[in-house]
Amino acid sequence: MISYRILRHDKGEKERSVGLPGVPDSIPDMEILWVDVVEPSDEEIKGLQSTFGLDEYAIEHVLVGNQRPKIEQYEKHNFSVIHVPVRKQLNGEWEFDVEELFVFFQKKWLIPVHREESETVKSVIKRTS
């Protein structure tokens, strides 16, 4: 699922919507487009690639998964693989796990991609809203 929000410099949220078709073509100064991607389908990933001009090699990393942590700089954007330690409750027991986040970013937008709902992403969104 793809959803987006436009964050303003005063920590206000200007707009929120679901899906790629509504994503604005340009973002005014002092605003950032945050596109949150959860459990993306191959079609959604290809739509992101087309809409934002994401590098094919970075897209391949997202599709394959299990990448090493890294930051790569491409011509029009940056790409990062982040491993976040998380604590999850499974069968009544607390266990530690590693959440893999893929993040595409540049000056005017940020696109975190994750395979399941992410408490890490939720907490960052909460702090920016």
Side-chain angles (χ1 to χ4, degrees), residues 21-122:
V23 172
D25 292 334
S26 64
I27 305 298
D29 288 341
M30 307 303 285
E31 294 181 355
I32 295 174
L33 174 65
W34 178 301
V35 180
D36 191 33
V37 184
V38 183
E39 297 180 51
S41 66
D42 289 351
E43 183 178 305
E44 287 174 320
I45 291 291
K46 295 297 181 187
L48 284 169
Q49 183 178 13
S50 174
T51 301
F52 292 95
L54 304 178
D55 185 83
E56 191 170 323
Y57 185 66
I59 291 294
E60 184 180 323
H61 287 325
V62 173
L63 294 173
V64 172
N66 296 316
Q67 301 295 310
R68 63 179 174 78
K70 60 183 155 190
I71 296 176
E72 296 176 336
Q73 186 173 9
Y74 294 98
E75 188 176 328
K76 296 182 181 180
H77 64 85
N78 297 298
F79 173 69
S80 181
V81 178
I82 303 168
H83 289 188
V84 180
V86 294
R87 198 174 122 181
K88 294 181 178 182
Q89 190 170 17
L90 300 170
N91 301 323
E93 299 283 326
W94 286 100
E95 295 181 12
F96 286 97
D97 199 3
V98 175
E99 175 181 35
E100 185 175 48
L101 293 175
F102 302 97
V103 183
F104 295 91
F105 60 98
Q106 54 121 288
K107 184 178 179 180
K108 300 304 284 178
W109 48 258
L110 175 77
I111 307 170
V113 180
H114 37 108
R115 304 222 182 278
E116 57 188 37
E117 287 293 333
S118 169
E119 291 303 317
T120 303
V121 172
K122 284 180 184 178

Side-chain angles (χ1 to χ4, degrees), residues 5-15 28-33 128-129:
R5 58 188 36 87
I6 297 174
L7 304 174
R8 299 186 326 199
H9 73 282
D10 61 1
K11 290 193 175 187
E13 192 173 287
K14 178 180 172 184
E15 185 177 334
D29 288 341
M30 307 303 285
E31 294 181 355
I32 295 174
L33 174 65
T128 60
S129 298

